[in-house]
Tab-separated table of all heavy atoms in Angstrom:
chain	number	residue	atom	x	y	z
A	181	ASP	N	100.455	94.576	167.183
A	181	ASP	CA	99.353	95.242	167.886
A	181	ASP	C	98.009	94.950	167.231
A	181	ASP	O	97.061	95.698	167.401
A	181	ASP	CB	99.604	96.743	167.972
A	181	ASP	CG	99.757	97.405	166.611
A	181	ASP	OD1	99.681	96.705	165.584
A	181	ASP	OD2	99.957	98.629	166.588
A	182	SER	N	97.938	93.830	166.505
A	182	SER	CA	96.705	93.503	165.798
A	182	SER	C	95.628	92.928	166.723
A	182	SER	O	94.462	92.908	166.363
A	182	SER	CB	96.987	92.521	164.657
A	182	SER	OG	97.504	91.305	165.170
A	183	ASN	N	96.022	92.471	167.894
A	183	ASN	CA	95.059	91.943	168.866
A	183	ASN	C	94.959	92.873	170.064
A	183	ASN	O	95.694	93.854	170.176
A	183	ASN	CB	95.496	90.551	169.333
A	183	ASN	CG	95.433	89.545	168.213
A	183	ASN	OD1	94.480	89.524	167.438
A	183	ASN	ND2	96.463	88.715	168.103
A	184	LYS	N	94.059	92.535	170.962
A	184	LYS	CA	93.865	93.325	172.174
A	184	LYS	C	95.165	93.406	172.980
A	184	LYS	O	95.534	94.467	173.464
A	184	LYS	CB	92.749	92.703	173.017
A	184	LYS	CG	92.468	93.440	174.304
A	184	LYS	CD	91.369	92.764	175.098
A	184	LYS	CE	91.224	93.424	176.456
A	184	LYS	NZ	90.316	92.688	177.311
A	185	ASN	N	95.832	92.271	173.125
A	185	ASN	CA	97.096	92.230	173.865
A	185	ASN	C	98.257	92.326	172.882
A	185	ASN	O	98.412	91.486	172.009
A	185	ASN	CB	97.212	90.927	174.662
A	185	ASN	CG	96.213	90.850	175.781
A	185	ASN	OD1	95.962	91.838	176.456
A	185	ASN	ND2	95.621	89.684	175.968
A	186	TYR	N	99.062	93.365	173.032
A	186	TYR	CA	100.246	93.516	172.191
A	186	TYR	C	101.203	92.354	172.468
A	186	TYR	O	101.348	91.923	173.606
A	186	TYR	CB	100.964	94.819	172.497
A	186	TYR	CG	100.258	96.070	172.038
A	186	TYR	CD1	98.951	96.064	171.577
A	186	TYR	CD2	100.913	97.280	172.073
A	186	TYR	CE1	98.332	97.228	171.159
A	186	TYR	CE2	100.300	98.457	171.663
A	186	TYR	CZ	99.009	98.410	171.204
A	186	TYR	OH	98.403	99.564	170.799
A	187	VAL	N	101.863	91.880	171.419
A	187	VAL	CA	102.865	90.830	171.568
A	187	VAL	C	104.185	91.391	171.055
A	187	VAL	O	104.267	91.888	169.936
A	187	VAL	CB	102.473	89.551	170.796
A	187	VAL	CG1	103.532	88.472	170.974
A	187	VAL	CG2	101.112	89.033	171.274
A	188	TYR	N	105.211	91.295	171.902
A	188	TYR	CA	106.530	91.835	171.584
A	188	TYR	C	107.445	90.708	171.108
A	188	TYR	O	107.435	89.604	171.662
A	188	TYR	CB	107.137	92.506	172.823
A	188	TYR	CG	106.331	93.687	173.290
A	188	TYR	CD1	105.251	93.531	174.156
A	188	TYR	CD2	106.641	94.967	172.849
A	188	TYR	CE1	104.511	94.621	174.573
A	188	TYR	CE2	105.903	96.065	173.265
A	188	TYR	CZ	104.835	95.877	174.128
A	188	TYR	OH	104.093	96.952	174.544
A	189	TYR	N	108.256	91.015	170.087
A	189	TYR	CA	109.191	90.061	169.488
A	189	TYR	C	110.552	90.739	169.301
A	189	TYR	O	110.606	91.950	169.057
A	189	TYR	CB	108.711	89.632	168.095
A	189	TYR	CG	107.419	88.883	168.079
A	189	TYR	CD1	106.209	89.552	167.906
A	189	TYR	CD2	107.400	87.500	168.234
A	189	TYR	CE1	105.014	88.862	167.888
A	189	TYR	CE2	106.201	86.805	168.215
A	189	TYR	CZ	105.015	87.486	168.038
A	189	TYR	OH	103.828	86.801	168.029
A	190	PRO	N	111.631	89.965	169.353
A	190	PRO	CA	112.934	90.568	169.058
A	190	PRO	C	113.045	90.864	167.566
A	190	PRO	O	112.586	90.082	166.732
A	190	PRO	CB	113.932	89.485	169.474
A	190	PRO	CG	113.175	88.202	169.348
A	190	PRO	CD	111.741	88.544	169.674
A	191	HIS	N	113.601	92.009	167.235
A	191	HIS	CA	113.783	92.395	165.828
A	191	HIS	C	115.005	91.704	165.229
A	191	HIS	O	115.083	91.518	164.021
A	191	HIS	CB	113.931	93.907	165.711
A	191	HIS	CG	114.101	94.388	164.316
A	191	HIS	ND1	113.043	94.444	163.425
A	191	HIS	CD2	115.196	94.803	163.636
A	191	HIS	CE1	113.489	94.887	162.264
A	191	HIS	NE2	114.789	95.116	162.368
A	192	CYS	N	115.958	91.319	166.088
A	192	CYS	CA	117.179	90.685	165.626
A	192	CYS	C	117.707	89.761	166.715
A	192	CYS	O	117.239	89.795	167.850
A	192	CYS	CB	118.235	91.741	165.281
A	192	CYS	SG	118.704	92.774	166.694
A	193	THR	N	118.682	88.941	166.357
A	193	THR	CA	119.327	88.079	167.343
A	193	THR	C	120.360	88.892	168.120
A	193	THR	O	120.735	90.006	167.715
A	193	THR	CB	120.043	86.891	166.674
A	193	THR	OG1	121.140	87.402	165.895
A	193	THR	CG2	119.109	86.080	165.811
A	194	LYS	N	120.851	88.336	169.200
A	194	LYS	CA	121.887	89.011	169.978
A	194	LYS	C	123.139	89.194	169.122
A	194	LYS	O	123.749	90.262	169.127
A	194	LYS	CB	122.205	88.209	171.244
A	194	LYS	CG	123.171	88.905	172.175
A	194	LYS	CD	123.327	88.127	173.461
A	194	LYS	CE	124.174	88.888	174.455
A	194	LYS	NZ	124.261	88.171	175.747
A	195	ASP	N	123.522	88.166	168.369
A	195	ASP	CA	124.703	88.265	167.506
A	195	ASP	C	124.539	89.352	166.452
A	195	ASP	O	125.474	90.095	166.174
A	195	ASP	CB	125.009	86.930	166.837
A	195	ASP	CG	125.572	85.902	167.802
A	195	ASP	OD1	126.055	86.289	168.890
A	195	ASP	OD2	125.528	84.703	167.469
A	196	GLU	N	123.350	89.454	165.877
A	196	GLU	CA	123.104	90.496	164.885
A	196	GLU	C	123.213	91.890	165.513
A	196	GLU	O	123.781	92.808	164.918
A	196	GLU	CB	121.725	90.328	164.244
A	196	GLU	CG	121.634	89.135	163.326
A	196	GLU	CD	120.199	88.788	162.928
A	196	GLU	OE1	119.246	89.204	163.626
A	196	GLU	OE2	120.043	88.089	161.917
A	197	HIS	N	122.680	92.037	166.721
A	197	HIS	CA	122.768	93.323	167.416
A	197	HIS	C	124.226	93.680	167.702
A	197	HIS	O	124.660	94.812	167.457
A	197	HIS	CB	121.966	93.319	168.719
A	197	HIS	CG	122.233	94.519	169.566
A	197	HIS	ND1	121.874	95.796	169.172
A	197	HIS	CD2	122.885	94.658	170.743
A	197	HIS	CE1	122.264	96.663	170.093
A	197	HIS	NE2	122.879	96.005	171.056
A	198	ILE	N	124.989	92.723	168.218
A	198	ILE	CA	126.394	92.979	168.543
A	198	ILE	C	127.173	93.345	167.279
A	198	ILE	O	127.995	94.265	167.286
A	198	ILE	CB	127.019	91.773	169.271
A	198	ILE	CG1	126.387	91.633	170.666
A	198	ILE	CG2	128.536	91.911	169.368
A	198	ILE	CD1	126.739	90.347	171.383
A	199	HIS	N	126.896	92.651	166.192
A	199	HIS	CA	127.567	92.936	164.919
A	199	HIS	C	127.277	94.366	164.466
A	199	HIS	O	128.191	95.124	164.103
A	199	HIS	CB	127.123	91.924	163.859
A	199	HIS	CG	127.761	92.136	162.540
A	199	HIS	ND1	129.070	91.799	162.277
A	199	HIS	CD2	127.278	92.669	161.397
A	199	HIS	CE1	129.360	92.123	161.032
A	199	HIS	NE2	128.295	92.643	160.476
A	200	LYS	N	126.015	94.763	164.505
A	200	LYS	CA	125.627	96.116	164.087
A	200	LYS	C	126.246	97.161	165.008
A	200	LYS	O	126.761	98.186	164.559
A	200	LYS	CB	124.098	96.238	164.079
A	200	LYS	CG	123.598	97.583	163.611
A	200	LYS	CD	122.083	97.624	163.580
A	200	LYS	CE	121.584	99.008	163.199
A	200	LYS	NZ	120.134	99.098	163.261
A	201	TRP	N	126.211	96.901	166.312
A	201	TRP	CA	126.784	97.825	167.283
A	201	TRP	C	128.280	97.989	167.051
A	201	TRP	O	128.810	99.110	167.085
A	201	TRP	CB	126.498	97.339	168.705
A	201	TRP	CG	127.096	98.214	169.759
A	201	TRP	CD1	126.557	99.347	170.277
A	201	TRP	CD2	128.352	98.036	170.402
A	201	TRP	NE1	127.411	99.882	171.216
A	201	TRP	CE2	128.520	99.098	171.311
A	201	TRP	CE3	129.346	97.066	170.305
A	201	TRP	CZ2	129.644	99.221	172.111
A	201	TRP	CZ3	130.481	97.206	171.101
A	201	TRP	CH2	130.616	98.269	171.990
A	202	THR	N	128.958	96.874	166.789
A	202	THR	CA	130.399	96.911	166.541
A	202	THR	C	130.714	97.704	165.272
A	202	THR	O	131.643	98.514	165.250
A	202	THR	CB	130.967	95.488	166.446
A	202	THR	OG1	130.645	94.779	167.649
A	202	THR	CG2	132.472	95.501	166.268
A	203	GLN	N	129.933	97.488	164.225
A	203	GLN	CA	130.127	98.253	162.986
A	203	GLN	C	129.964	99.748	163.244
A	203	GLN	O	130.756	100.558	162.759
A	203	GLN	CB	129.128	97.815	161.920
A	203	GLN	CG	129.453	96.493	161.276
A	203	GLN	CD	128.429	96.133	160.216
A	203	GLN	OE1	127.230	96.369	160.376
A	203	GLN	NE2	128.896	95.548	159.127
A	204	ASN	N	128.944	100.122	164.004
A	204	ASN	CA	128.715	101.532	164.332
A	204	ASN	C	129.867	102.102	165.165
A	204	ASN	O	130.286	103.245	164.961
A	204	ASN	CB	127.388	101.726	165.057
A	204	ASN	CG	126.196	101.505	164.157
A	204	ASN	OD1	126.293	101.622	162.941
A	204	ASN	ND2	125.067	101.166	164.745
A	205	LEU	N	130.390	101.300	166.090
A	205	LEU	CA	131.515	101.727	166.924
A	205	LEU	C	132.752	101.984	166.064
A	205	LEU	O	133.409	103.017	166.200
A	205	LEU	CB	131.825	100.674	167.990
A	205	LEU	CG	133.086	100.932	168.821
A	205	LEU	CD1	132.878	102.140	169.728
A	205	LEU	CD2	133.448	99.700	169.625
A	206	VAL	N	133.051	101.052	165.171
A	206	VAL	CA	134.223	101.213	164.305
A	206	VAL	C	134.061	102.446	163.422
A	206	VAL	O	134.993	103.230	163.242
A	206	VAL	CB	134.475	99.939	163.465
A	206	VAL	CG1	135.546	100.168	162.411
A	206	VAL	CG2	134.856	98.767	164.364
A	207	ARG	N	132.861	102.650	162.901
A	207	ARG	CA	132.599	103.805	162.040
A	207	ARG	C	132.735	105.112	162.836
A	207	ARG	O	133.402	106.043	162.408
A	207	ARG	CB	131.206	103.697	161.421
A	207	ARG	CG	130.876	104.779	160.417
A	207	ARG	CD	129.549	104.606	159.680
A	207	ARG	NE	128.500	103.820	160.296
A	207	ARG	CZ	128.272	102.501	160.051
A	207	ARG	NH1	129.007	101.840	159.200
A	207	ARG	NH2	127.288	101.865	160.665
A	208	ALA	N	132.107	105.175	164.007
A	208	ALA	CA	132.075	106.419	164.771
A	208	ALA	C	133.390	106.719	165.489
A	208	ALA	O	133.844	107.863	165.497
A	208	ALA	CB	130.936	106.378	165.791
A	209	ALA	N	133.991	105.714	166.095
A	209	ALA	CA	135.162	105.955	166.939
A	209	ALA	C	136.491	105.789	166.205
A	209	ALA	O	137.506	106.343	166.643
A	209	ALA	CB	135.124	105.016	168.147
A	210	PHE	N	136.489	105.038	165.117
A	210	PHE	CA	137.757	104.731	164.450
A	210	PHE	C	137.754	105.095	162.969
A	210	PHE	O	138.531	104.558	162.185
A	210	PHE	CB	138.099	103.252	164.649
A	210	PHE	CG	138.214	102.875	166.098
A	210	PHE	CD1	137.188	102.179	166.717
A	210	PHE	CD2	139.310	103.252	166.852
A	210	PHE	CE1	137.278	101.844	168.061
A	210	PHE	CE2	139.399	102.934	168.195
A	210	PHE	CZ	138.378	102.225	168.805
A	211	GLY	N	136.868	106.000	162.584
A	211	GLY	CA	136.838	106.465	161.209
A	211	GLY	C	136.606	105.356	160.207
A	211	GLY	O	137.114	105.403	159.084
A	212	ASN	N	135.860	104.337	160.631
A	212	ASN	CA	135.541	103.176	159.790
A	212	ASN	C	136.793	102.439	159.332
A	212	ASN	O	136.818	101.823	158.269
A	212	ASN	CB	134.678	103.578	158.590
A	212	ASN	CG	133.755	102.459	158.170
A	212	ASN	OD1	133.356	101.646	158.991
A	212	ASN	ND2	133.413	102.413	156.901
A	213	SER	N	137.835	102.496	160.158
A	213	SER	CA	139.103	101.860	159.824
A	213	SER	C	139.426	100.738	160.807
A	213	SER	O	139.616	100.987	162.002
A	213	SER	CB	140.228	102.901	159.853
A	213	SER	OG	141.491	102.273	159.817
A	214	ILE	N	139.513	99.533	160.293
A	214	ILE	CA	139.904	98.394	161.132
A	214	ILE	C	141.335	98.612	161.630
A	214	ILE	O	141.667	98.266	162.759
A	214	ILE	CB	139.786	97.067	160.343
A	214	ILE	CG1	138.335	96.809	159.957
A	214	ILE	CG2	140.350	95.901	161.141
A	214	ILE	CD1	137.398	96.593	161.125
A	215	GLY	N	142.172	99.222	160.774
A	215	GLY	CA	143.550	99.512	161.185
A	215	GLY	C	143.592	100.406	162.408
A	215	GLY	O	144.373	100.164	163.339
A	216	ASN	N	142.756	101.453	162.425
A	216	ASN	CA	142.696	102.338	163.592
A	216	ASN	C	142.182	101.591	164.819
A	216	ASN	O	142.638	101.839	165.932
A	216	ASN	CB	141.801	103.540	163.311
A	216	ASN	CG	142.404	104.504	162.313
A	216	ASN	OD1	143.595	104.442	162.001
A	216	ASN	ND2	141.581	105.398	161.780
A	217	LEU	N	141.242	100.695	164.617
A	217	LEU	CA	140.713	99.894	165.724
A	217	LEU	C	141.816	99.016	166.318
A	217	LEU	O	142.018	98.993	167.531
A	217	LEU	CB	139.547	99.019	165.239
A	217	LEU	CG	139.011	97.995	166.223
A	217	LEU	CD1	138.305	98.678	167.391
A	217	LEU	CD2	138.056	97.038	165.522
A	218	VAL	N	142.534	98.307	165.464
A	218	VAL	CA	143.615	97.427	165.935
A	218	VAL	C	144.683	98.253	166.641
A	218	VAL	O	145.182	97.869	167.696
A	218	VAL	CB	144.205	96.599	164.769
A	218	VAL	CG1	145.450	95.847	165.213
A	218	VAL	CG2	143.166	95.624	164.229
A	219	CYS	N	145.004	99.412	166.075
A	219	CYS	CA	146.003	100.294	166.678
A	219	CYS	C	145.566	100.717	168.082
A	219	CYS	O	146.372	100.759	169.007
A	219	CYS	CB	146.234	101.500	165.780
A	219	CYS	SG	147.584	102.563	166.328
A	220	ALA	N	144.280	101.018	168.239
A	220	ALA	CA	143.762	101.413	169.553
A	220	ALA	C	143.897	100.273	170.557
A	220	ALA	O	144.255	100.494	171.714
A	220	ALA	CB	142.304	101.846	169.438
A	221	PHE	N	143.635	99.051	170.113
A	221	PHE	CA	143.722	97.909	171.021
A	221	PHE	C	145.158	97.552	171.370
A	221	PHE	O	145.432	97.046	172.448
A	221	PHE	CB	143.005	96.685	170.437
A	221	PHE	CG	141.525	96.709	170.689
A	221	PHE	CD1	140.654	96.970	169.650
A	221	PHE	CD2	141.005	96.503	171.948
A	221	PHE	CE1	139.288	97.018	169.872
A	221	PHE	CE2	139.645	96.550	172.186
A	221	PHE	CZ	138.783	96.808	171.144
A	222	THR	N	146.066	97.809	170.472
A	222	THR	CA	147.472	97.474	170.742
A	222	THR	C	148.206	98.624	171.398
A	222	THR	O	149.363	98.476	171.772
A	222	THR	CB	148.203	97.099	169.436
A	222	THR	OG1	148.237	98.238	168.574
A	222	THR	CG2	147.565	95.918	168.762
A	223	GLY	N	147.552	99.783	171.516
A	223	GLY	CA	148.200	100.950	172.101
A	223	GLY	C	149.310	101.483	171.224
A	223	GLY	O	150.265	102.077	171.697
A	224	GLY	N	149.210	101.225	169.921
A	224	GLY	CA	150.226	101.691	168.980
A	224	GLY	C	151.422	100.766	168.876
A	224	GLY	O	152.355	101.038	168.127
């Protein structure tokens, strides 16, 4: 916002966003356990 016209830029790449989102999902939904995540995908 240093000029009259604001210029918008991405803060991260798409891959970086997906990685962060996935980490948050595993933490929130699976107790930060990859084992719980795999178990959910395999249906036990």
Side-chain angles (χ1 to χ4, degrees):
D181 59 359
S182 62
N183 294 317
K184 180 181 173 188
N185 292 320
Y186 289 11
V187 180
Y188 297 86
Y189 296 93
H191 181 75
C192 61
T193 66
K194 186 174 186 176
D195 288 342
E196 289 167 340
H197 170 66
I198 292 170
H199 180 75
K200 182 178 176 184
W201 178 84
T202 304
Q203 284 181 321
N204 290 337
L205 173 69
V206 171
R207 185 174 24 265
F210 301 103
N212 211 29
S213 167
I214 296 296
N216 290 346
L217 172 69
V218 172
C219 187
F221 277 107
T222 64

